[in-house]
Amino acid sequence: MNILILGGTGYVGGILKGILSNKGHNIEIVGQSTKKNYKIGEEFDESNLENIDYLFYLSWMQDTTNKNYQKLNISSLKDILEKCNRNKIKLIFFSTFYASEDSRSMYNKTKAMCEKMVISNHQKVVRLGSVIVDGYKLEGFYGKLKNFSQKYKIFPIILPNKKLFFKTNLNELSKFSDNFDNLSDDLNFFCSKKPLDLIEILNIDKNHVRLIPVPWYLIFFLTKFSELIKLNIKFRSDSVLSIWGEDI
């Protein structure tokens, strides 16, 4: 199978590339830094779809402080959906476990709107949980939080300390790689059924860090204020809102 991973230079794309290549598929990666490059909001070169059977859509604008965040993510997906349909290429859109149009999080809400568009175009959606795979350097919210705890020996117990996280590990991604060509449902989940708390999912050694309870809304307001004054910090307020701000 000839597969193009759009946004494939990131954490999840790198893992999938390795798994799929080992299973005998021909993988092409397109991202911001590849020879054939692509960035959300830019025109996608339709010639990239030549001899492609599947397009795995992982590309995403992460900066939720961008005033055009929702518009750019949706319009970019719409453009590529149309091009895939025109070229009779199957597309799989990678989404998040908590995607919801009723979400207070811009990330979760926009993912859900994109899901709806993908399904209406007769393509498939895959929802992943928290992707954490041993041997691969963590990125994003989880990576920054774990790096912070390792550097300062402090770990925040974000209250309420509920079991909110569904993990996607190597087994789940391998299961997807074995079955992506036979997905019968429009919306598919590849993650654990058992929810974990933040300490469990990051495998934090409680004996080597100081645990500090912090209400989630305090972290949210501090990060939101930092964004308003254009202070470059490592966490985004929407990352906190996407989990703790939901009615779960």
Side-chain angles (χ1 to χ4, degrees):
M1 200 78 73
N2 297 318
I3 302 169
L4 187 152
I5 304 180
L6 190 63
T9 56
Y11 179 69
V12 178
I15 299 171
L16 279 176
K17 179 185 177 182
I19 296 172
L20 291 162
S21 296
N22 289 336
K23 293 181 183 294
H25 299 291
N26 297 315
I27 309 301
E28 184 169 356
I29 297 291
V30 174
Q32 295 186 39
S33 58
T34 53
K35 186 175 180 180
K36 294 181 179 179
N37 57 72
Y38 175 71
K39 182 180 180 181
I40 292 291
E42 296 181 352
E43 181 71 18
F44 179 73
D45 187 348
E46 196 164 346
S47 67
N48 290 333
L49 299 176
E50 292 178 6
N51 301 315
I52 295 296
D53 302 304
Y54 265 93
L55 186 146
F56 291 174
Y57 194 99
L58 289 160
S59 190
W60 197 255
M61 174 187 282
Q62 300 292 344
D63 185 6
T64 50
T65 65
N66 188 307
K67 64 179 181 180
N68 293 316
Y69 172 84
Q70 192 172 84
K71 178 182 177 181
L72 288 172
N73 276 308
I74 293 173
S75 61
S76 293
L77 174 60
K78 181 181 178 184
D79 172 57
I80 292 170
L81 267 171
E82 291 173 350
K83 289 173 178 174
C84 282
N85 287 340
R86 185 158 58 242
N87 289 276
K88 294 181 171 53
I89 292 169
K90 296 178 181 179
L91 179 146
I92 295 179
F93 175 70
F94 284 77
S95 190
T96 179
F97 184 88
Y98 284 122
S100 169
E101 288 191 82
D102 296 324
S103 175
R104 298 163 65 187
S105 158
M106 183 63 71
Y107 175 78
N108 290 346
K109 183 187 290 287
T110 308
K111 282 285 189 180
M113 294 171 72
C114 287
E115 286 183 355
K116 188 175 181 180
M117 183 167 57
V118 168
I119 292 171
S120 69
N121 276 270
H122 309 292
Q123 301 281 18
K124 303 294 185 182
V125 172
V126 164
R127 284 191 181 183
L128 302 179
S130 303
V131 181
I132 300 176
V133 175
D134 293 338
Y136 291 85
K137 184 179 178 181
L138 269 178
E139 298 177 358
F141 174 77
Y142 300 110
K144 290 169 183 175
L145 190 57
K146 189 153 189 175
N147 289 340
F148 176 85
S149 69
Q150 290 173 339
K151 182 177 181 179
Y152 298 105
K153 305 303 179 185
I154 294 172
F155 190 82
I157 303 294
I158 305 177
L159 303 176
N161 187 31
K162 295 182 179 180
K163 294 182 182 292
L164 302 172
F165 300 88
F166 294 83
K167 187 174 183 178
T168 296
N169 58 20
L170 188 59
N171 288 336
E172 293 289 345
L173 293 177
S174 294
K175 188 185 299 181
F176 162 77
S177 300
D178 288 333
N179 295 285
F180 70 86
D181 197 34
N182 297 298
L183 297 177
S184 57
D185 298 325
D186 293 332
L187 181 61
N188 305 271
F189 290 81
F190 286 88
C191 58
S192 63
K193 295 180 180 179
K194 179 184 177 182
L196 305 170
D197 64 25
L198 193 55
I199 292 177
E200 292 170 326
I201 203 163
L202 289 177
N203 196 26
I204 299 295
D205 186 347
K206 298 179 184 179
N207 297 319
H208 290 85
V209 297
R210 183 180 180 185
L211 304 177
I212 300 178
V214 185
W216 78 267
Y217 54 82
L218 179 60
I219 298 176
F220 171 75
F221 285 123
L222 285 173
T223 52
K224 188 70 173 178
F225 178 73
S226 298
E227 291 165 357
L228 291 173
I229 63 174
K230 308 297 182 182
L231 183 64
N232 186 19
I233 60 173
K234 294 185 177 181
F235 297 106
R236 290 197 182 97
S237 59
D238 197 81
S239 296
V240 180
L241 194 64
S242 67
I243 298 293
W244 285 273
E246 304 294 10
D247 296 323
I248 301 167

